[in-house]
């Protein structure tokens, strides 16, 4: 039995020397040391041994097991090291490589200006109201004191969908919607930002689609001086405290009296330059006291309340603020243009 054990040791160690991979190593482990392995097989014969022989053979068997296990462990460690080395080589990361920068987007200048205008009016206690871009003739014209065949409809060449439905030509219809929603409650203070559409030929200052922000205040005893103070507050927040405004008489069917508002030229500070055609002033918006008929359409009694309204073009405000010379820059989405507003 002792000879068989010694022979097993020699055979096993010789086989183990040759092993080239972890799979084969495991096969040999099972073959020699497993439950049904060679060593167990030999030790089955222990029963037939005398009491003196048994511990001697037992000792030899333990030595053989220990010797095989030692080589198995060595081999296993060597395979593990080789595997680790292989993975380190395959998964090498060069931490000295410069990183790939992620291109960050930026807020569109029109969005930026819109948000700025909204912030200024929110700070004065206004809320924001929105209305549909596809609008009825009633809200876009009729309720704003522009009955069918009114000559002032020609000022806003419209995209009609049917006789009664069109793309809104201004944000003024949201005035009517906001008044109806208020259900006679005052004070009503809203601004209404949004897209508007006109059948214009596109050029440096015109676009078939552009953006407006409407303002409306309705309450007891609202006066023209409230309008003027509000607008002065607004332009100074927008362009700086040095900027002044002036109101020129004008006409809009939905306001009476009506005015156009100029600001001190943002380019020359009022000295006169090419941008302001040497007048020192630049027009930025239309406004006036809400016409009694418009208040009535909104569900208010013009004998009891009054109101003011104004409407401005966001593109125009942005052109002046950023000194841009062509409205089309806003729509072409050229990243060289848009990127300039990333950190402003
Ligand atoms: N809706 C006018 C336009 O698009 C602008 C305007 C003028 C709005 C006077 C107003 C206003 O609210 O009072 O040309």
């Amino acid at each position: 039995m002792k000879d068989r054990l010694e022979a097993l040791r020699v055979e096993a160690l010789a086989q183990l020397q040759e092993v080239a991979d972890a799979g084969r190593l495991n096969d040999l482990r099972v073959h020699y040391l497993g439950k049904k392995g060679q060593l167990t097989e030999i030790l089955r014969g222990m029963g037939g041994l005398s009491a003196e022989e048994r511990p001697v053979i037992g000792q030899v068997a333990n030595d053989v097991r220990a010797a095989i296990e030692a080589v198995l462990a060595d081999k296993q460690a060597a395979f593990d090291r080789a595997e680790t080395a292989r993975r380190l080589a395959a998964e090498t990361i060069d931490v000295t490589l410069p990183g790939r920068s992620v291109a960050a987007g930026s807020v569109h200048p029109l969005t930026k200006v819109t948000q700025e205008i909204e912030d200024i009016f929110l700070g004065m206690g206004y809320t924001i109201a929105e209305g549909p871009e596809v609008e009825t003739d009633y809200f876009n014209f009729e309720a704003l004191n522009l009955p069918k065949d009114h000559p002032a409809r020609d000022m806003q060449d419209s995209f009609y969908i049917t006789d009664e439905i069109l793309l809104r030509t201004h944000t003024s219809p949201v005035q009517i919607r906001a008044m109806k929603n208020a259900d006679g409650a005052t004070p009503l203070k809203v601004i209404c930002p949004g897209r508007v559409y006109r059948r214009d030929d596109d050029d440096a200052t015109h676009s078939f689609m552009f953006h407006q922000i409407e303002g409306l205040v309705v309450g007891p005893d609202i006066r023209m001086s409230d309008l003027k103070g509000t607008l002065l507050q607004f332009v100074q927040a927008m362009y700086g405290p040095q900027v002044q405004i002036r109101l020129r008489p004008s006409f809009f069917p939905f306001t009476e009296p009506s005015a156009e508002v100029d600001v001190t030229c943002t380019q020359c500070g009022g000295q006169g330059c090419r941008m302001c055609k040497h007048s020192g002033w630049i027009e930025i918006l239309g406004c006036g006291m809400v016409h009694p008929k418009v208040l009535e359409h909104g569900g208010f009694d013009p004998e009891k309340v009054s109101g003011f309204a104004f409407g401005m073009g966001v593109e125009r405000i942005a052109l002046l603020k950023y000194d841009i010379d062509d409205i089309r820059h806003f729509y072409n989405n050229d990243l060289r243009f848009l990127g300039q507003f990333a950190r402003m």
Side-chain angles (χ1 to χ4, degrees):
M1 201 155 169
K2 191 175 172 206
D3 292 346
R4 284 180 66 201
L5 285 169
E6 289 302 344
L8 185 73
R9 183 208 301 261
V10 172
E11 180 197 318
L13 295 188
Q15 292 261 13
L16 284 171
Q17 281 320 313
E18 316 250 291
V19 173
D21 63 90
R24 170 90 179 124
L25 189 69
N26 201 44
D27 289 347
L28 290 178
R29 183 197 317 277
V30 173
H31 178 74
Y32 290 112
L33 303 183
K35 261 195 222 149
K36 294 175 185 159
Q38 295 291 301
L39 189 64
T40 317
E41 178 66 31
I42 297 172
L43 295 180
R44 271 216 193 100
M46 290 276 273
L49 296 179
S50 67
E52 295 81 52
E53 275 176 321
R54 213 171 285 155
V56 180
I57 296 300
Q59 184 61 51
V60 175
N62 282 343
D63 287 352
V64 170
R65 175 183 289 279
I68 296 175
E69 271 176 351
V71 177
L72 275 168
D74 270 3
K75 284 278 174 187
Q76 188 63 53
F79 287 140
D80 288 350
R81 275 195 305 276
E83 172 63 11
T84 304
R86 187 194 64 74
R87 286 184 47 191
L88 280 175
E91 296 169 15
T92 303
I93 295 170
D94 182 352
V95 293
T96 66
L97 274 181
R100 273 179 219 135
S101 60
V102 178
S106 57
V107 175
H108 192 282
L110 289 179
T111 305
K112 229 180 170 85
V113 168
T114 302
Q115 288 172 348
E116 231 175 292
I117 297 170
E118 286 173 359
D119 280 350
I120 294 168
F121 283 101
L122 286 172
M124 293 196 262
Y126 287 64
T127 55
I128 296 174
E130 286 185 297
E133 290 174 29
V134 179
E135 189 52 284
T136 61
D137 186 272
Y138 171 77
F139 281 108
N140 196 80
F141 288 131
E142 199 89 34
L144 289 163
N145 198 28
L146 274 140
K148 290 217 162 70
D149 304 323
H150 192 291
R153 284 196 179 202
D154 297 344
M155 284 161 63
Q156 302 185 356
D157 244 339
S158 321
F159 289 111
Y160 272 92
I161 293 165
T162 69
D163 279 355
E164 292 301 325
I165 298 173
L166 72 160
L167 296 181
R168 68 179 177 194
T169 55
H170 50 179
T171 42
S172 301
V174 191
Q175 283 188 30
I176 307 294
R177 292 178 175 277
M179 280 192 276
K180 285 187 190 286
N181 280 342
D183 208 15
T186 58
L188 172 61
K189 295 167 76 177
V190 289
I191 50 163
C192 327
R195 290 197 183 93
V196 301
Y197 301 83
R198 292 195 196 168
R199 271 177 43 194
D200 269 329
D201 289 324
D202 291 4
D203 62 25
T205 53
H206 295 84
S207 165
F208 70 93
M209 184 281 298
F210 58 103
H211 300 76
Q212 285 190 335
I213 294 185
E214 194 80 13
L216 172 71
V217 172
V218 178
D221 210 19
I222 298 294
R223 305 168 186 206
M224 192 98 183
S225 53
D226 297 318
L227 169 61
K228 196 174 172 190
T230 302
L231 293 176
L232 182 62
Q233 186 80 22
F234 162 65
V235 299
Q236 292 190 339
M238 196 70 193
Y239 295 114
Q242 76 288 356
V243 173
Q244 290 299 320
I245 57 171
R246 75 174 181 188
L247 274 64
R248 283 178 290 104
S250 184
F251 172 80
F252 298 103
F254 27 90
T255 44
E256 183 58 37
S258 303
E260 273 170 338
V261 176
D262 297 341
V263 290
T264 321
C265 179
T266 48
Q267 187 86 334
C268 62
Q271 297 308 107
C273 67
R274 257 178 59 197
M275 189 160 100
C276 58
K277 300 203 182 81
H278 301 283
S279 70
W281 296 98
I282 291 191
E283 184 197 323
I284 58 156
L285 56 82
C287 63
M289 301 307 292
V290 182
H291 196 285
K293 283 193 183 158
V294 175
L295 286 172
E296 275 172 9
H297 277 290
F300 285 97
D301 181 351
E303 295 296 327
K304 298 209 175 97
V305 297
S306 51
F308 67 71
F310 55 87
M312 63 185 107
V314 178
E315 279 78 352
R316 189 160 175 77
I317 304 281
L319 288 175
L320 295 178
K321 188 166 175 78
Y322 296 121
D323 195 13
I324 298 162
D325 60 4
D326 194 322
I327 192 175
R328 287 167 293 196
H329 285 307
F330 291 128
Y331 315 120
N332 290 340
N333 287 331
D334 185 331
L335 291 179
R336 291 169 301 180
F337 172 75
L338 295 178
Q340 296 177 53
F341 299 91
R343 277 174 296 279
M344 277 179 126

